[in-house]
Amino acid sequence: MSLSFWVVIAPLIAAVLLLVLPKMGGGESRSLSIVGTLVSLVLAIVMWLSFPAGQSGFEFTGQIHWFTLPALWQAANVSVGLSFGVDGLSLPLIAMTAFISVLAMAGAKRSIDRPRIYYFWLSMVTAGLLGVFSALDLFTFLVALEVTLFASFFLIQLFGLPGSPRAAIKFLIYRGFATVAMLVALVGIAYGLTGAYSTSGASSTMTFSIPQMLNLAHHSAGGLFPVAMQGALLLVLLLGVFIEEAFVPFHTWLPTTHEFADTPTNMVVGGLLTKTGAYVLLRFGVGMLPGQIQHYGTLIAVFGVINILYGAFAAWAQKDWRRLIAFGGISHMGLVLLGIASFSAAGLQGAMFMIVSSGLLTALLFFLTGAIEDRTKTVQLKDLGGLSKAMPMISGFLLVAALASLGLPLTSGFISEIQAFIGGFTSYPAVSFVGLGGLILSAVYLLYAIQKTTFGPSAKLAEGLSDATAREYLPTILLTALVLLIGIYPNLIGHLFNLSVQGLLGIGG
């Protein structure tokens, strides 16, 4: 089996052991789930270090045949299996998934009700996310996506704050519709690449293999796939992506989810799960329908700027840190749309950087505000104030995270924003100019929240509070260090993204 296979399977094995091993307490359950995900992280690092230089294709591939769909297309059988592999686009996301998941597990509170079930679902959502990013088969991808949906649902439903069941149902409905829309679009693309819609008589074999679909889209889409059908399928795919990413006007499930979920779940949902839609748009939209991405570029760019501004304005209006972070994330991901719409090297690479940067910063902000909530029992801005006196370390790291989120130089946020806007200005200067307002607004709402939380007179509830503990230092320092490392040395992930960007633009050319 390939390394990419074991990356996905390791947390899955941990999840199964959590169910079958008897007498597992909270500490043992947490340790087992951490070990499973830590194996994935180590394997991801091994693949990263040994990834061939200059290689834009898939590496570390492996496939297991599962079943055969008989006579699915022109009397030919279609093999369905579990297929995994990595390229320059997916490998950084796989490493980020394992990294954030390990820190979420390690930083979880020690007093969790039903810890075996809790860490089971946390391991399952990690395995599902790793499967989404490493899938090389549509069937594998959709199964993994469903695993993330149901595992996240049970984490919110069973372990959230009072009121979480309603938020969990809302989460399930919205993301369920997103999955259906993406299923229709992706199966439609697979069907279209057979030549089923073609009027020229050209045809090909039916396949769910993502590398084969990319190859067909590259070499023969013009003869196999009518333009009108490509446009219709891209619009369906965009609908699924917009719901999956909580883009306006399908955004309401995300702030509600974050308001009622616990801290580790928020780190996984906000830092990882909300990046799958952007990955889908890059992998399938840009990869298989590049002409349509360019055709609808203006529409995508306008929606990107709407989300940049709306997310920032809405974040400014929030009184709760968790809802503020949620809307801030929507604003960040609007930049991903702007970068993709530009269909330029800088824009696409900026979009990839923003997915990683937003993931790390969202996880860090949720972890720090969770630490504040553990002590003060609130994250309402009106109830907080002067925390820097009692909690100088937590307050200091919160300030660093906020500055990185608003794009301070030498942080991952700066690298992401500058490249996405360069790409945007190359293709859509007027739209991008309007989007610059989001940068100003992000400084306003983040610095206002920091001022209300950490500076000024001390709130009564801040008296006698303790600063960060050993359990909290590890995730905080590691997440902050990676945000700074990417900002100082962006080639750490940039060389991998660049390979994918060249491949995507080659298809588009």
Side-chain angles (χ1 to χ4, degrees):
M1 289 297 106
S2 65
L3 288 180
S4 58
F5 173 83
W6 290 110
V7 163
V8 180
I9 295 301
L12 201 58
I13 292 174
V16 173
L17 290 176
L18 281 166
L19 284 186
V20 300
L21 290 179
K23 298 181 180 178
M24 293 281 287
E28 293 86 353
S29 300
R30 183 178 64 256
S31 299
L32 182 54
S33 65
I34 289 174
V35 168
T37 307
L38 202 54
V39 170
S40 298
L41 179 58
V42 171
L43 293 177
I45 293 172
V46 170
M47 290 192 293
W48 193 310
L49 295 177
S50 53
F51 197 85
Q55 175 57 261
S56 61
F58 292 98
E59 296 291 330
F60 307 103
T61 59
Q63 182 175 7
I64 300 175
H65 175 72
W66 193 346
F67 59 90
T68 300
L69 294 171
L72 188 64
W73 171 249
Q74 293 182 340
N77 299 335
V78 174
S79 173
V80 174
L82 298 174
S83 182
F84 301 102
V86 300
D87 66 351
L89 171 60
S90 61
L91 185 51
L93 302 182
I94 289 168
M96 181 177 75
T97 298
F99 180 68
I100 291 178
S101 296
V102 165
L103 297 182
M105 294 167 181
K109 289 193 294 186
R110 300 305 186 244
S111 56
I112 295 175
D113 186 33
R114 292 171 292 172
R116 283 165 53 119
I117 304 300
Y118 181 78
Y119 289 107
F120 167 77
W121 287 119
L122 213 46
S123 297
M124 286 298 293
V125 74
T126 300
L129 284 163
L130 292 169
V132 166
F133 293 134
S134 61
L136 293 188
D137 181 282
L138 280 189
F139 187 83
T140 306
F141 171 81
L142 292 168
V143 167
L145 195 64
E146 287 297 299
V147 170
T148 66
L149 174 65
F150 285 101
S152 302
F153 167 77
F154 284 114
L155 281 171
I156 300 165
Q157 166 87 13
L158 300 176
F159 301 98
L161 305 176
S164 63
R166 189 172 177 181
I169 293 295
K170 191 173 184 179
F171 169 90
L172 188 66
I173 292 172
Y174 269 83
R175 291 191 69 93
F177 274 118
T179 302
V180 170
M182 288 191 289
L183 170 66
V184 170
L186 296 181
V187 172
I189 292 172
Y191 192 60
L193 288 172
T194 64
Y197 309 127
S198 175
T199 56
S200 66
S203 65
S204 180
T205 56
M206 182 85 174
T207 179
F208 291 150
S209 165
I210 292 172
Q212 290 183 31
M213 290 172 68
L214 287 168
N215 190 49
L216 283 171
H218 188 155
H219 292 103
S220 53
L224 293 172
F225 217 151
V227 172
M229 187 57 65
Q230 291 185 39
L233 289 173
L234 178 66
L235 292 177
V236 177
L237 185 68
L238 283 175
L239 174 64
V241 168
F242 274 37
I243 302 173
E244 186 90 356
E245 283 294 321
F247 283 134
V248 175
F250 309 106
H251 62 287
T252 60
W253 67 267
L254 186 61
T256 306
T257 296
H258 284 317
E259 186 176 0
F260 291 100
D262 73 332
T263 297
T265 304
N266 275 334
M267 291 174 70
V268 172
V269 172
L272 300 171
L273 198 61
T274 52
K275 313 311 173 201
T276 55
Y279 173 77
V280 167
L281 189 54
L282 283 164
R283 173 67 75 208
F284 300 103
V286 179
M288 296 181 186
L289 303 170
Q292 295 306 306
I293 291 287
Q294 292 172 285
H295 180 74
Y296 288 103
T298 304
L299 177 68
I300 297 171
V302 168
F303 266 102
V305 170
I306 288 174
N307 278 278
I308 292 171
L309 296 176
Y310 182 88
F313 270 118
W316 191 4
Q318 300 308 308
K319 308 300 181 188
D320 182 304
W321 256 108
R322 288 167 301 206
R323 294 181 65 86
L324 182 150
I325 297 169
F327 280 108
I330 292 171
S331 183
H332 279 157
M333 295 308 287
L335 264 173
V336 174
L337 282 185
L338 182 61
I340 290 174
S342 75
F343 210 79
S344 64
L348 291 174
Q349 184 149 304
M352 296 176 187
F353 265 102
M354 180 53 78
I355 294 172
V356 173
S357 177
S358 176
L360 295 173
L361 288 168
T362 301
L364 179 58
L365 285 168
F366 274 123
F367 185 77
L368 291 169
T369 52
I372 292 173
E373 186 179 25
D374 288 344
R375 291 161 173 77
T376 63
K377 309 304 176 190
T378 182
V379 284
Q380 296 292 318
L381 293 175
K382 66 180 177 58
D383 297 326
L384 301 172
L387 296 185
S388 60
K389 296 174 184 174
M391 296 186 289
M393 294 306 296
I394 290 177
S395 300
F397 279 111
L398 188 63
L399 177 60
V400 172
L403 292 175
S405 291
L406 61 87
L408 188 75
L410 302 182
T411 67
S412 61
F414 175 77
I415 297 297
S416 316
E417 292 179 1
I418 195 72
Q419 291 192 85
F421 269 114
I422 287 174
F425 271 101
T426 302
S427 303
Y428 305 102
V431 176
S432 301
F433 181 78
V434 176
L436 285 176
L439 298 183
I440 300 170
L441 289 170
S442 65
V444 171
Y445 74 75
L446 281 167
L447 294 180
Y448 170 76
I450 288 291
Q451 191 275 332
K452 286 287 292 180
T453 303
T454 62
F455 298 110
S458 296
K460 194 171 182 178
L461 52 76
E463 296 175 2
L465 296 178
S466 60
D467 206 356
T469 63
R471 172 180 68 83
E472 294 162 336
Y473 269 118
L474 181 67
T476 301
I477 290 174
L478 290 179
L479 284 167
T480 305
L482 198 49
V483 166
L484 296 176
L485 182 59
I486 293 173
I488 295 169
Y489 183 60
N491 203 40
L492 178 70
I493 56 176
H495 74 288
L496 288 173
F497 285 154
N498 187 50
L499 294 174
S500 287
V501 166
Q502 296 307 318
L504 291 170
L505 290 179
I507 292 172

